[in-house]
Amino acid sequence: MDGKSHSAITSEARAGAAYNAKRRELYRKLGEAARERRRERERERYHLLAGEARKVRNKRRAKLERDRYEGLSKEQLSARNARRRERAKQRQRKLQQISLASPNAASPTDHVLFTNKS
């Protein structure tokens, strides 16, 4: 961040940026098992929100995503979408391998029934 943009942000935003930098640093130090546990806790906390809190969360996330995408060039957007599609394919392959390995395992689309609670 250059000096101009740093001086232009509010003290609250600067404190938030420092906090986020600290959290990123701690996250990098975690082992893979701890990362997985943390992601699971965050996922549970995310899906526990209901009512107005859910609407606020979704509105905030949509704005952040729009802001991120508006700043990308066509090439960057294309590369980002290609990576996203590749991750989705990998996830599907992994779920199919799990279902083939265990006949009693959930099908690749069963997770949708549990995560899309309205």
Side-chain angles (χ1 to χ4, degrees):
M1 180 180 289
D2 63 358
K4 254 187 194 177
S5 59
H6 184 72
S7 64
I9 64 174
T10 65
S11 60
E12 293 85 16
R14 196 173 298 121
Y19 173 80
N20 289 338
K22 177 71 173 170
R23 300 304 304 163
R24 276 194 304 274
E25 170 120 13
L26 291 173
Y27 185 77
R28 284 189 199 107
K29 289 181 180 178
L30 291 175
E32 190 53 42
R35 276 194 194 105
E36 188 61 37
R37 288 191 306 270
R38 178 181 173 179
R39 283 198 269 324
E40 188 59 37
R41 281 193 311 270
E42 289 172 351
R43 195 174 299 119
E44 287 174 16
R45 191 167 47 238
Y46 179 88
H47 289 295
L48 282 176
L49 291 177
E52 192 61 32
R54 177 181 280 179
K55 288 179 187 176
V56 169
R57 176 203 64 203
N58 290 344
K59 188 184 234 182
R60 180 179 50 82
R61 288 177 60 96
K63 181 188 181 314
L64 289 171
E65 188 170 351
R66 273 193 309 275
D67 292 347
R68 269 196 308 273
Y69 277 89
E70 285 172 359
L72 296 175
S73 69
K74 287 191 184 288
E75 295 81 21
Q76 289 171 319
L77 186 58
S78 176
R80 185 181 193 117
N81 286 337
R83 285 193 304 269
R84 180 182 49 79
R85 284 191 294 274
E86 184 55 37
R87 283 193 310 268
K89 286 179 190 174
Q90 287 175 350
R91 194 168 40 251
Q92 281 300 107
R93 284 193 296 265
K94 184 177 178 183
L95 288 172
Q96 287 172 350
Q97 287 174 351
I98 292 170
S99 66
L100 291 175
S102 173
N104 295 333
S107 74
T109 56
D110 282 349
H111 72 282
V112 174
L113 299 173
F114 302 109
T115 58
N116 289 341
K117 296 177 183 171
S118 297

